[in-house]
Amino acid sequence: MPTPTVENYLKALYVQPPAPGQQPTELIPMGQVAEAMRVSPGTATSMMKTLAEAGLVEYEPRAGVRLSERGLALALQILRRHRLIEQFLVQVLGLDWSEVHDEAEELEHAISDKVLERIDLLLGHPDTDPHGDPIPPSHGQPAHVELTPLSLAEVGAQVTVARVLDQQPDFLNFAHQHGLTPGSRLTVLAHQPAADAITCQPEGAPSLTLGTAAAGKILTLIEQTAS
Amino acid sequence: MPTPTVENYLKALYVQPPAPGQQPTELIPMGQVAEAMRVSPGTATSMMKTLAEAGLVEYEPRAGVRLSERGLALALQILRRHRLIEQFLVQVLGLDWSEVHDEAEELEHAISDKVLERIDLLLGHPDTDPHGDPIPPSHGQPAHVELTPLSLAEVGAQVTVARVLDQQPDFLNFAHQHGLTPGSRLTVLAHQPAADAITCQPEGAPSLTLGTAAAGKILTLIEQTAS
DNA sequence: TGTTCGCATTATCATAGACTAATGCTTGCA
DNA sequence: TGCAAGCATTAGTCTATGATAATGCGAACA
């Protein structure tokens, strides 16, 4: 049984974005690990050595780490727990989507497989959590869906919000207030490169201008491109 | 924030039965603490010192420990979490009462007050868990109800099972199979002191002979004494 | 080609919680 | 009254996880 700390490292390694243009199987530098886990670089190095000895990662000194096959399987299992718990907290207990991330962060280490599968059943085997993040199946990889950041959607396109990447409560409250939740539809009205912004029109809510950094955190499914 | 380990010690101290004829405010000897927590005596001593420094217990060397006011409040809070979670696992997720104790043992340290109060609401503010153990209110002590162990009920008495003290899955399965669950009614048929046993007749189930040790773990409410 | 800067690694230390083994009280009994 | 038995305490060690500080490698630029 991995400790909660080990589980958190594995999860963090899995969700590290690959450097631009790199495959997700590339090595993650130690600095990135240390920052993701908010520990000192020395702590990150020694933990990666420990995980490597346990066969959960492949560690190349001064180059970086990547998850091993076993580490990947474990990371997916933990992510499954985390996301099912989030969905449960929203659907069954009625918590707000902005507060469930931190709750799930604790519960994911305490819940048993049995309870988890009961939750899965009660929820009807959902495949995403309240933020649109895919819930990995109990075995194997989650299905890959091609999504486009709102910041890259064409002017005139009609899109459906599929996933909101930022888990910060402030951002999630903002997104909720403006109708930017998974499933809501919107039309891209304009890009303003000079202002580093994009304007869109959510269905049933006032139009809205976002910085491209914020818009990059909203992943969408393109329903209809500009004529 | 106390660590999970500290929480477990406090809970264990609270549920220690007072020595026969003693007030619950009496000192608990270290050996009893060590046994309850399944740690070595040395570990118990050093932990009690730590808890005493934190103001959670009163520790008298070579005499024993008792919970301080703060320690008692914390212990009740943890017991509330534990028992509400058990009730939730049975009522909402449909787990068996024999398996929820161990699950709750983990979850009680991970759950937030917010989630707990949602669970309490969803369950309609129950006042006992699936074993009949009282759920402490969010502030203050649980109400005291006078219960009689089945082993001490008079022959001929009609009683209602109120609480099952043993949390071992084997015992709980046995009790369930024979209709000895909280709320079920039974009549005491006979005591057999020589055989160290008691025979009773659960409503709607075959009559049953139990050892007095087992019968002592079934607490009942006397509905009607023998004529 | 050499030097420097940024990052990684090593070394040392701290804390919580556990263990075992050795020592020390205390009490009851002869 | 004195001593043995039974607990409790102390002392020293271990593991997991963190920190800080000092050292070391390597790549980019002059």
Side-chain angles (χ1 to χ4, degrees):
Chain A
M1 279 280 94
T3 63
T5 307
V6 167
E7 292 188 344
N8 284 334
Y9 275 93
L10 295 176
K11 197 168 40 127
L13 291 175
Y14 181 79
V15 300
Q16 283 317 294
Q22 302 233 310
Q23 292 304 307
T25 55
E26 289 307 308
L27 293 167
I28 300 163
M30 297 314 289
Q32 198 175 330
V33 175
E35 198 187 344
M37 290 299 297
R38 305 164 145 282
V39 296
S40 66
T43 302
T45 297
S46 78
M47 196 63 190
M48 290 308 103
K49 284 187 180 181
T50 304
L51 295 187
E53 274 175 30
L56 297 170
V57 301
E58 290 157 25
Y59 167 59
E60 298 181 19
R62 295 183 189 277
V65 277
R66 73 168 70 85
L67 288 170
S68 71
E69 209 167 308
R70 268 186 58 218
L72 175 64
L74 253 174
L76 286 171
Q77 207 178 299
I78 299 150
L79 223 50
R80 172 175 167 80
R81 286 191 229 150
H82 181 98
R83 291 177 179 168
L84 267 173
I85 290 167
E86 285 191 339
Q87 187 70 336
F88 168 81
L89 292 174
V90 168
Q91 298 283 309
V92 179
L93 295 186
L95 298 205
D96 197 273
W97 80 329
S98 66
E99 54 193 357
V100 295
H101 179 78
D102 293 346
E103 299 280 356
E105 207 60 33
E106 294 298 317
L107 290 168
E108 68 189 7
H109 306 297
I111 203 162
S112 72
D113 285 349
K114 179 147 207 169
V115 171
L116 194 75
E117 297 316 317
R118 291 297 177 122
I119 286 176
D120 185 41
L121 188 65
L122 182 65
L123 294 173
H125 309 293
D127 44 37
T128 62
D129 77 2
H131 314 100
D133 299 326
I135 296 174
S138 37
H139 296 289
Q141 303 259 353
H144 182 73
V145 179
E146 194 62 42
L147 298 175
T148 308
L150 180 54
S151 53
L152 298 182
E154 285 175 52
V155 169
Q158 277 197 3
V159 302
T160 301
V161 175
R163 193 169 169 187
V164 178
L165 294 181
D166 193 321
Q167 308 267 311
Q168 301 293 314
D170 283 355
F171 184 75
L172 291 172
N173 283 330
F174 166 83
H176 180 73
Q177 275 163 29
H178 293 88
L180 298 174
T181 53
S184 63
R185 307 182 63 194
L186 35 96
T187 307
V188 179
L189 297 183
H191 282 269
Q192 291 110 330
D196 188 36
I198 183 171
T199 300
C200 61
Q201 172 72 63
E203 228 173 53
S207 77
L208 170 68
T209 300
L210 290 169
T212 48
K217 297 178 199 163
I218 311 277
L219 299 191
T220 66
L221 207 57
I222 307 279
E223 298 288 337
Q224 196 183 319
T225 53
S227 65
Chain B
M1 280 279 95
T3 64
T5 305
V6 167
E7 292 186 346
N8 285 334
Y9 276 93
L10 295 176
K11 197 167 42 125
L13 292 175
Y14 180 79
V15 300
Q16 283 317 294
Q22 303 233 313
Q23 292 304 307
T25 55
E26 288 309 305
L27 292 168
I28 300 162
M30 297 313 290
Q32 197 176 331
V33 175
E35 198 188 342
M37 291 298 296
R38 306 162 145 281
V39 296
S40 67
T43 303
T45 298
S46 78
M47 197 62 191
M48 290 308 103
K49 285 187 178 180
T50 306
L51 295 187
E53 273 175 29
L56 297 170
V57 301
E58 289 156 27
Y59 167 59
E60 297 181 19
R62 295 180 189 279
V65 276
R66 74 168 68 86
L67 288 170
S68 70
E69 207 167 312
R70 266 186 59 219
L72 174 65
L74 252 175
L76 286 171
Q77 209 178 299
I78 298 151
L79 223 50
R80 172 176 167 80
R81 285 191 230 151
H82 182 96
R83 293 177 177 168
L84 267 173
I85 290 167
E86 285 190 340
Q87 187 71 335
F88 168 81
L89 292 174
V90 168
Q91 297 284 310
V92 178
L93 295 186
L95 295 207
D96 197 273
W97 80 330
S98 65
E99 55 193 357
V100 296
H101 179 77
D102 293 347
E103 299 281 356
E105 208 60 31
E106 293 298 318
L107 289 169
E108 69 190 6
H109 307 296
I111 204 163
S112 71
D113 285 348
K114 180 148 206 170
V115 170
L116 194 76
E117 296 317 316
R118 291 296 176 118
I119 285 176
D120 184 42
L121 189 65
L122 181 65
L123 295 174
H125 308 292
D127 44 37
T128 62
D129 76 4
H131 313 100
D133 300 325
I135 297 173
S138 38
H139 296 290
Q141 303 258 355
H144 182 71
V145 179
E146 194 62 40
L147 298 176
T148 308
L150 179 55
S151 52
L152 298 182
E154 284 176 53
V155 170
Q158 277 198 3
V159 303
T160 302
V161 175
R163 193 169 170 187
V164 178
L165 293 181
D166 193 322
Q167 308 268 308
Q168 300 294 313
D170 283 356
F171 184 76
L172 292 172
N173 283 329
F174 166 84
H176 179 72
Q177 274 163 29
H178 294 88
L180 298 174
T181 52
S184 63
R185 307 181 64 194
L186 35 97
T187 307
V188 179
L189 297 184
H191 281 269
Q192 291 111 326
D196 189 35
I198 183 170
T199 300
C200 61
Q201 172 71 65
E203 229 173 52
S207 78
L208 170 70
T209 301
L210 288 171
T212 48
K217 297 177 197 162
I218 311 278
L219 299 190
T220 65
L221 207 56
I222 308 279
E223 297 288 336
Q224 194 183 318
T225 54
S227 65

